[in-house]
């Protein structure tokens, strides 16, 4: 009496297959490690790609995305908005020193510019200046 159990590929029995665990889940990341690995291979950036390279790159990209989104969310809340728009992303990036340096040559569509008025163009404060001039002339 032989058992009529069909074996799958590689000696596996049918139906006893484990649920697949992605590399992203193993690494504890939200960004797709497998997709980044595929892009690194197809892009021909190097002949060989190490096993840890896509994991590291995914972690760095996820951190940068989280940082930008957090700062943009804060900018949206400052403007009393519930939705992040390109203007909030622009304000977030340009007001942060490190992100501003990283994305120095990047143009964000519909982002606008930082509000900035040169101090020379601002009107002079007449009330405090007049008081100082009067006290200076009386002392002479």
């Amino acid at each position: 009496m032989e058992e009529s159990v069909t074996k799958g590929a590689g000696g596996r029995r049918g139906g006893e297959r484990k649920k697949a665990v992605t590399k992203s889940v193993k690494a504890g990341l939200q960004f797709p490690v497998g997709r980044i690995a595929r892009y690194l291979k197809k892009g021909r950036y190097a002949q060989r790609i190490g096993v840890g390279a896509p994991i590291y790159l995914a972690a760095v990209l996820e951190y940068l995305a989280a940082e930008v989104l957090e700062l943009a969310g804060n900018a949206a809340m400052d403007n009393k908005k519930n939705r992040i728009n390109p203007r909030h992303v622009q304000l977030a990036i340009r007001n942060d020193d490190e992100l501003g340096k990283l994305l120095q040559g990047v143009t964000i569509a519909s982002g606008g510019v930082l509000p900035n008025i040169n101090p020379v163009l601002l009107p002079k404060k007449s009330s405090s200046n007049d008081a100082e001039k009067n006290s200076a002339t009386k002392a002479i």
Side-chain angles (χ1 to χ4, degrees):
M1 291 207 223
E2 292 182 24
E3 295 179 18
S4 61
V5 176
T6 59
K7 289 188 175 185
R12 287 193 310 261
R13 295 174 188 247
E16 292 184 18
R17 195 165 182 189
K18 289 182 183 176
K19 179 119 171 74
V21 180
T22 64
K23 292 177 188 175
S24 298
V25 170
K26 286 180 185 175
L29 297 172
Q30 300 298 313
F31 271 49
V33 173
R35 185 179 301 174
I36 291 172
R38 186 176 76 232
Y39 290 159
L40 283 173
K41 289 174 189 171
K42 284 200 174 179
R44 304 296 291 164
Y45 300 107
Q47 285 186 340
R48 298 163 62 170
I49 304 293
V51 139
I55 298 169
Y56 198 94
L57 183 56
V60 169
L61 291 173
E62 184 174 316
Y63 169 74
L64 285 173
E67 190 74 20
V68 169
L69 281 173
E70 181 184 352
L71 292 172
N74 293 343
M77 291 232 263
D78 291 344
N79 290 324
K80 298 174 182 150
K81 305 280 188 209
N82 291 325
R83 191 173 294 163
I84 296 173
N85 60 29
R87 174 70 177 159
H88 301 138
V89 175
Q90 172 83 322
L91 291 173
I93 289 171
R94 301 302 172 212
N95 285 325
D96 187 75
D97 292 335
E98 293 169 343
L99 282 175
K101 193 172 182 183
L102 177 68
L103 303 171
Q104 195 171 15
V106 174
T107 303
I108 296 174
S110 303
V113 295
L114 282 182
N116 184 25
I117 300 173
N118 197 321
V120 175
L121 300 173
L122 293 172
K124 296 173 184 167
K125 295 177 181 167
S126 57
S127 60
S128 61
N129 286 346
D130 289 341
E132 289 173 8
K133 286 179 185 175
N134 291 339
S135 62
T137 53
K138 288 179 184 175
I140 294 175

